[in-house]
Amino acid sequence: MTTTPGASSESHARIAEGLYTTGWHVERQFVDPVLLRELRAESLARWEAGSFRHARVGTGAEKRLQTEVRRDQVCWLDETDLTPAQSVWWNEIELLRRAVNEALFLGLFSYEGHLTVYPPGAFYRKHLDNFRGARHRRVTAILYLNDGWKREDGGQLRLYLDESGDGPFVDIEPLGGTLVTFLSERFYHEVLPATRERLSMTGWFRTRD
């Protein structure tokens, strides 16, 4: 059972400061290497067992499989049915939610998330994380689970820095242990194709429905 130490209060403070000043932040080595290995191993085991499903675009009756937009596969997490490692991660992300709420008063009420796998060549075109007409997702939080990732492997998260989504951008390498956070309804972003499997835990801090 995972008993690794959690992220520090200094880490939480840096993330909150980044969200306040620029709206986004990259925190390297957010989780302990032991926890990272366990989360990666569990994700790969579920992937090999066929527990992932092709991600869809939209919500409700409008949800559609659109492979021209995204080609990742996901496995949703259920708070009532977590592995020991996932429980540790859930606790970590809950502590971060409280810290960000305390610092920024965003009204963050809960967290939802899934495991994500991008097979080689998969991508996700430019998009916002909030569905049309909805504003429940306030902060996106992505923890990368990749081992030994190199720049030539591709798979960068391209974050557009202005609200139009047509201006300057920054490319973020999906290095294992890195947590990327940003304001969900502000930043257009996309996932570039990779040459190997790209794993992450993707989630959102939400306000009340």
Side-chain angles (χ1 to χ4, degrees), residues 38-56:
E38 291 184 6
L39 291 171
R40 173 179 170 78
E42 291 177 356
S43 296
L44 287 172
R46 289 195 178 190
W47 171 249
E48 292 168 0
S51 299
F52 284 70
R53 298 291 180 266
H54 290 283
R56 284 165 166 75

Side-chain angles (χ1 to χ4, degrees), residues 85-106:
Q86 290 167 0
S87 294
V88 173
W89 165 248
W90 206 273
N91 181 64
E92 292 298 329
I93 207 70
E94 171 63 13
L95 292 174
L96 177 59
R97 181 190 68 83
R98 294 178 184 178
V100 171
N101 247 352
E102 182 177 346
L104 304 181
F105 305 101
L106 293 179

Side-chain angles (χ1 to χ4, degrees), residues 138-175:
R138 295 297 305 276
V139 177
T140 299
I142 306 169
L143 176 71
Y144 293 116
L145 307 180
N146 304 300
D147 181 38
W149 199 268
K150 300 177 182 178
R151 183 178 297 273
E152 56 265 31
D153 294 328
Q156 293 86 357
L157 173 70
R158 177 162 291 179
L159 191 70
Y160 292 85
L161 301 180
D162 65 9
E163 295 189 14
S164 72
D166 294 322
F169 58 82
V170 59
D171 284 347
I172 301 167
E173 302 291 333
L175 303 176

Side-chain angles (χ1 to χ4, degrees), residues 45-141:
R46 289 195 178 190
W47 171 249
E48 292 168 0
S51 299
F52 284 70
R53 298 291 180 266
H54 290 283
R56 284 165 166 75
V57 177
T59 183
E62 297 182 358
K63 185 177 289 187
R64 297 286 187 274
L65 179 64
Q66 297 185 28
T67 56
E68 74 279 8
V69 175
R70 64 184 301 185
R71 294 187 181 179
D72 56 318
Q73 297 191 38
V74 302
C75 178
W76 283 92
L77 297 175
D78 181 350
E79 186 179 2
T80 65
D81 185 27
L82 300 173
T83 67
Q86 290 167 0
S87 294
V88 173
W89 165 248
W90 206 273
N91 181 64
E92 292 298 329
I93 207 70
E94 171 63 13
L95 292 174
L96 177 59
R97 181 190 68 83
R98 294 178 184 178
V100 171
N101 247 352
E102 182 177 346
L104 304 181
F105 305 101
L106 293 179
L108 306 178
F109 178 72
S110 63
Y111 169 81
E112 64 175 356
H114 55 63
L115 306 173
T116 311
V117 172
Y118 284 81
F123 55 82
Y124 195 165
R125 302 300 188 199
K126 188 191 305 183
H127 65 284
L128 288 173
D129 276 351
N130 261 322
F131 299 122
R132 183 177 301 174
R135 300 183 62 187
H136 304 314
R137 292 176 173 176
R138 295 297 305 276
V139 177
T140 299

Side-chain angles (χ1 to χ4, degrees), residues 3-24:
T3 57
T4 54
S8 68
S9 58
E10 290 82 5
S11 176
H12 294 165
R14 287 192 296 269
I15 292 169
E17 177 67 17
L19 292 173
Y20 177 75
T21 56
T22 65
W24 63 282

